[in-house]
Amino acid sequence: MRERKDGIIRFGMILAGAVLWGSFLYIVWIWVPRAGIRYLLILLWAGLCLMGLVGNLLQRRQVCRFADELCGTLDELMAGRKPERYIYYEDTLVSKVQGKFLQFYDLMSEERRLSRQDKQVIQELVSDISHQVKTPIANLQMFLGILQSHDLSEEKRAEFLEMTAGQTRKLDFLMQSLIKMSRLETGTFTLHVEKTDLYGTIAEALNVIWAKAEAKDIRLSVECDSALTARHDSKWTAEALGNLLDNAVKYTPKGGSIQIGVRPWQFYTRVDIADTGIGIPEEQCHQVFKRFWRGQEAAAQEGVGLGLYLAQEIITKQRGYISVKSVVGEGTTFSVYLLT
Amino acid sequence: MEIISLHNVKKYYGSKENTVKALDGIDLTIRQGAFTAIVGASGSGKTTLLNMMGGLDVPDTGEVIVDGVNLSGLKEEQLAVFRRKKVGFIFQNYNLMPTLTVEENILFPLDLDGSAPDEGYLREIIELLGLKDRLTAFPDMLSGGGRQRVAIARALAAKPSIILADEPTGNLDSQNGQNVAGLLKMTTELFHRTLVMITHNMELAQLADRVVRLQDGRIV
């Protein structure tokens, strides 16, 4: 359709050109009596027409070259490599369009990279899970084997049963953490972030550690205006704060204290969890959030190294962040920043 | 995939016995999409290093390769286009145009480049940075934190792959500093940009995926 239209236009233009030429010649013949001037005018007019024609041809060649360059770029990009002849960062039209193509290409490769990365995360997760589950299962099998095949006194029997129960608890705890982790990592679970009050969330987090803190004679204090709100998912944030509090209780010696303070800021609401525990050396502050990472000082405490990692995942998914300040021997403060 | 790599980069100032080694053999690669914090005492070469990555300074020896292009091979005009397209800068003293409104300041890099703004993208940034109600204000009507948020929006506006921030929280109190650093981290992560930030503050450096320490022009 387009081509036919172009054809009609071209035909029209030739016709118009002929008519213009004809009328020009006619006018010159009638109105210009002196032959010299007459021929000069015709020559000038013809020159003008020629220039227009040449200009047109030149432009057409330029457009062709432009199209060729772009096609070349596209060919190279389709072949999966960055164009060699690409004139980087020139202020020309070709460079500009090529730049856009490249940006688009980068965007696509970025998406490919992200999906590859997601796949890798899942693979690592699976291997981590199987690795972590191995030990308690092996222990369970051993204890059960002993219980089945040996004639044991009632006392010994109870002891092994207790150990079996302990391993089952550990396995259960591990599985719970792993399930939460995989749900967060694989995005099968979405956080319902809404502006709700923080007080209830903190109270829920405290529920988990109340008894443990009491057993260790640790004083808990909370400083939070009950009217304060922040954009967060109450259930999961309580889980994250609970993990941080659980950590605080674990690494704070008997008779210490844990303070929770909330400060509303312009963009973030900051929740501080300050303990008087053993502290974290500065060079490790950055690592504590890594999956299955456990400090050397932490070896005495039971745990699998998932609590802080999970806490950070949960908070980051809500577009917040966690930072940590610590002095070895004096205590640690974890600060959770939630969008106000 | 690495987006920035420096190989044996050296930069000396002065001559003979007065030579100051701003950078003394830096080897560094930065992964695409990562958040890197550069820490170190003043005079350790942090800003010089950042300027090298942004094509604002050239090394005496060694090479700086950004997104596959060796910057020392570029002419001054090409470097200008490179900075416009690839890099977003954030400075300690904001460097906003006082005669332009917040909105005009944010759109400024796009005007320079002559490219059309991506409305949806810009709206999202403006909303995230809490600037929706301040678009018609002038920079001097905003607080320091507010101005830096405008600078973040401006740095992101042209969709550069790299954001270079030189002490973005240096002029802010700790509360505003935390706000700005948090927002900077959040927005760059959200849009998969590579962020390199200089800071004095160790608490803010922790937000990064990786912390690079400089001392006397060397990485320690």
Side-chain angles (χ1 to χ4, degrees):
Chain A
M1 198 57 208
R2 195 67 161 287
E3 255 135 56
R4 231 180 96 194
K5 233 186 204 162
D6 282 352
I8 292 171
I9 288 174
R10 193 169 302 143
F11 179 72
M13 273 174 72
I14 292 170
L15 208 70
V19 169
L20 276 174
W21 260 103
S23 37
F24 172 75
L25 283 177
Y26 176 75
I27 289 167
V28 166
W29 216 257
I30 300 291
W31 295 95
V32 183
R34 280 175 64 176
I37 303 262
R38 197 186 290 151
Y39 289 122
L40 202 69
L41 275 176
I42 292 174
L43 214 66
L44 277 173
W45 178 244
L48 268 175
C49 286
L50 203 72
M51 263 172 68
L53 216 67
V54 170
N56 192 350
L57 276 174
L58 266 178
Q59 203 181 12
R60 190 181 291 182
R61 246 183 53 194
Q62 239 172 3
V63 171
C64 281
R65 211 165 39 213
F66 180 67
D68 283 347
E69 290 264 11
L70 293 190
C71 287
T73 311
L74 274 178
D75 281 339
E76 301 226 26
L77 288 182
M78 279 191 290
R81 52 174 187 267
K82 288 209 170 175
E84 281 166 25
R85 285 187 313 121
Y86 177 50
I87 326 138
Y88 282 100
Y89 312 126
E90 293 271 358
D91 230 347
T92 62
L93 207 57
V94 175
S95 176
K96 191 172 170 178
V97 181
Q98 275 176 329
K100 283 272 174 262
F101 275 150
L102 247 99
Q103 222 176 358
F104 180 68
Y105 175 79
D106 285 344
L107 208 76
M108 291 290 133
S109 355
E110 174 70 14
E111 264 165 38
R112 264 208 308 273
R113 196 181 64 80
L114 284 178
S115 81
R116 251 206 316 271
Q117 198 181 322
D118 281 351
K119 217 159 127 186
Q120 203 184 343
V121 165
I122 293 171
Q123 267 169 3
E124 277 170 19
L125 207 65
V126 169
S127 93
D128 276 349
I129 290 174
S130 46
H131 186 79
Q132 293 290 325
V133 165
K134 249 182 223 160
T135 323
I137 287 185
N139 286 344
L140 274 177
Q141 278 171 335
M142 189 176 71
F143 294 148
L144 286 173
I146 293 171
L147 281 169
Q148 275 174 338
S149 60
H150 293 268
D151 230 355
L152 295 167
S153 67
E154 204 53 40
E155 222 170 279
K156 276 271 176 220
R157 196 173 197 76
E159 199 179 310
F160 272 109
L161 277 172
E162 181 46 44
M163 284 203 272
T164 317
Q167 289 298 320
T168 319
R169 274 198 299 275
K170 187 174 178 189
L171 200 59
D172 179 56
F173 174 74
L174 196 62
M175 282 320 286
Q176 294 290 345
S177 310
L178 291 171
I179 288 166
K180 279 174 207 154
M181 182 170 84
S182 69
R183 277 164 80 186
L184 276 171
E185 288 270 14
T186 55
T188 46
F189 181 83
T190 41
L191 294 158
H192 299 287
V193 179
E194 51 189 355
K195 215 171 160 74
T196 46
D197 75 325
L198 211 52
Y199 196 74
T201 309
I202 293 176
E204 203 183 316
L206 278 168
N207 266 341
V208 189
I209 59 138
W210 209 267
K212 281 189 211 167
E214 193 133 297
K216 279 183 89 173
D217 205 16
I218 292 171
R219 267 174 299 123
L220 291 171
S221 65
V222 183
E223 214 177 295
C224 174
D225 192 338
S226 57
L228 278 179
T229 58
R231 261 180 274 167
H232 69 291
D233 178 304
S234 187
K235 190 174 142 250
W236 282 86
T237 308
E239 165 95 32
L241 293 175
N243 286 354
L244 292 172
L245 284 168
D246 191 49
N247 235 51
V249 172
K250 255 192 222 166
Y251 299 113
T252 300
K254 268 197 171 134
S257 73
I258 296 171
Q259 284 180 310
I260 302 171
V262 182
R263 268 175 279 177
W265 285 354
Q266 192 182 5
F267 277 88
Y268 291 97
T269 299
R270 172 173 170 173
V271 183
D272 282 340
I273 296 174
D275 64 36
T276 55
I278 56 172
I280 307 163
E282 199 197 321
E283 60 275 13
Q284 289 180 14
C285 279
H286 200 240
Q287 292 174 302
V288 292
F289 296 107
K290 285 190 181 142
R291 195 161 69 200
F292 298 117
W293 192 88
R294 302 203 64 204
Q296 281 165 342
E297 296 77 10
Q301 294 288 339
E302 68 172 39
V304 290
L306 278 175
L308 291 182
Y309 167 78
L310 264 178
Q312 196 189 35
E313 282 287 300
I314 293 167
I315 300 301
T316 315
K317 285 254 150 62
Q318 305 179 60
R319 295 190 180 166
Y321 63 99
I322 303 183
S323 76
V324 53
K325 239 197 300 206
S326 187
V327 179
V328 173
E330 284 182 27
T332 308
T333 303
F334 281 96
S335 304
V336 175
Y337 297 84
L338 295 165
L339 280 172
T340 302
Chain B
M1 204 175 82
E2 62 214 31
I3 185 153
I4 303 173
S5 54
L6 290 88
H7 301 294
N8 196 26
V9 168
K10 289 183 183 167
K11 181 84 183 178
Y12 295 168
Y13 292 106
S15 59
K16 302 272 167 66
E17 58 272 17
N18 294 327
T19 309
V20 178
K21 294 175 175 177
L23 293 178
D24 193 17
I26 298 280
D27 284 292
L28 179 66
T29 55
I30 290 172
R31 207 164 38 78
Q32 165 131 35
F35 174 8
T36 309
I38 301 178
V39 297
S42 24
S44 57
K46 300 187 299 277
T47 300
T48 312
L49 180 62
L50 200 76
N51 287 348
M52 298 274 169
M53 294 177 190
L56 286 170
D57 203 342
V58 282
D60 294 338
T61 58
E63 50 187 17
V64 182
I65 296 167
V66 180
D67 203 12
V69 179
N70 189 340
L71 294 191
S72 54
L74 297 184
K75 288 186 284 249
E76 192 45 52
E77 304 88 66
Q78 291 174 319
L79 273 178
V81 182
F82 158 77
R83 285 194 291 265
R84 219 161 61 201
K85 290 195 187 302
K86 277 279 170 218
V87 191
F89 291 97
I90 298 168
F91 302 96
Q92 181 173 357
N93 51 4
Y94 327 120
N95 282 359
L96 299 173
M97 298 277 175
T99 52
L100 301 181
T101 63
V102 165
E103 187 174 20
E104 287 164 342
N105 263 296
I106 295 172
L107 292 173
F108 195 59
L110 291 169
D111 286 343
L112 275 183
D113 197 37
S115 47
D118 178 344
E119 295 288 344
Y121 170 73
L122 283 174
R123 211 176 310 124
E124 197 178 347
I125 291 176
I126 287 166
E127 192 124 337
L128 282 171
L129 292 169
L131 293 169
K132 212 169 64 174
D133 306 324
R134 314 308 306 265
L135 287 178
T136 53
F138 287 93
D140 58 4
M141 294 155 73
L142 303 179
S143 66
R147 287 181 215 183
Q148 202 56 298
R149 281 184 276 124
V150 177
I152 295 175
R154 178 183 60 180
L156 287 165
K159 299 189 182 176
S161 344
I162 304 161
I163 306 285
L164 301 178
D166 192 350
E167 298 242 17
T169 63
N171 279 350
L172 306 175
D173 58 43
S174 80
Q175 176 181 338
N176 272 307
Q178 283 283 0
N179 272 325
V180 162
L183 289 170
L184 184 58
K185 177 185 160 74
M186 187 251 284
T187 44
T188 46
E189 263 170 21
L190 196 62
F191 301 114
H192 307 298
R193 306 280 181 256
T194 309
L195 172 63
V196 184
M197 179 177 88
I198 291 181
T199 181
H200 266 125
N201 186 334
M202 279 313 295
E203 205 185 338
L204 295 181
Q206 273 174 32
L207 299 180
D209 303 316
R210 177 180 170 204
V211 180
V212 173
R213 268 166 224 273
L214 277 188
Q215 196 175 10
D216 300 326
R218 290 172 165 278
I219 293 175
V220 290

